[in-house]
Amino acid sequence: MKDSFFSNTELIGLIGHPIRHSYSPIIQNYALDKMNLDYVYLPFDVPMENLKNAVNAVLALGMKGLNVTLPHKEKIIKHLDELSEEASIIGAVNTVVNDHGKLIGYNTDAFGIIETLNPFKDRITGSKVSVIGAGGSARAVIYTLLRHFKPDEINIINRTQQRADTLVNDFSLKMRYDCFHTFELFPPDNVELLSSSKLIVNATTIGMYPDIEDTVTDIDESFNEDQIVFDLIYNPTQTRLLQLAKSQGAKVVSGLKMLIAQAAKSFELWTGLEMPSAEIAEKLEYFILKNSYK
Ligand code: NAP
């Protein structure tokens, strides 16, 4: 961590509410320090009523930019000058760049998902996939699948089916895709759907620390050795869902690679430089194992 700051030290902020569980300050400050850059990355707990003031502060203080997390990812859009294509279609922003007084919003989660799923591209293209969840990160997953992986059919399974229906209407219009089906999350009814999917993505909070015994399904027959199961959760790195899918022979992928890749893309947008991702992934995995947040 830097021990001296000067008038030209660049400031990058993270805004959200609550904020204390985020790993982003660890990742970004480690990378900035490692690359000897005169920047500092600080978290700010910003309740919703202060969102507009916080965005104005980026301009007033000449900050380089922001990371944005829950609950501000969607609400921040109306305070920005411009959106990238993916942020506009997903409808959520996780990175803001202050480009000489113009605030531009990006969604680097999409980039993190591409990096994570690219090794499986041939298996995903033209196949049936199931996404569990219909929140902000499920929207980033669906955008990325449609734009880069082109599956034949996407099933969206969510506790609140109406939210999945709204998502489908939105994406059908924005991306002209009509092979969506929506289902309510009810594991005994979802077995056939999941077992016949080449890719299963968990984009819900179920199974996240500290509720590590929770899972979107505990039915073995939902999984097989011909599948890829991607859980966006990164704490723990091996969720109960991934443990179960692995025991049935599926290829499993945690959210850690996505976390690092989305952070690397944000880092590049602010600094124009490549983050030392492999080294940071190793450090972070060790940190998560040792220090699960209380
Ligand atoms: P979100 O917008 O709040 O959406 C939460 C989703 O989880 C919704 O589909 C919600 O269903 C479902 N859900 C929550 N509690 C549930 C319960 N008890 N039973 C059934 N469904 C439940 O959150 P998000 O931003 O999409 O984040 C989802 C997960 O992705 C989180 O674990 C987050 O840490 C992870 N994530 C990882 C990365 C990464 O880089 N690896 C990046 C972003 C997010 P309803 O619609 O019915 O409420």
Side-chain angles (χ1 to χ4, degrees), residues 133-137 158-160 163 204-206 208 232 255 258-259:
S137 60
N158 199 42
R159 173 177 63 180
T160 315
R163 195 173 181 197
T204 74
T205 48
I206 304 172
M208 198 165 81
L232 266 66
M258 173 180 166
L259 179 71

Side-chain angles (χ1 to χ4, degrees), residues 52-68:
K52 189 169 181 224
N53 287 335
V55 176
N56 286 337
V58 175
L59 296 172
L61 302 178
M63 292 169 65
K64 194 72 189 170
L66 292 174
N67 262 152
V68 184

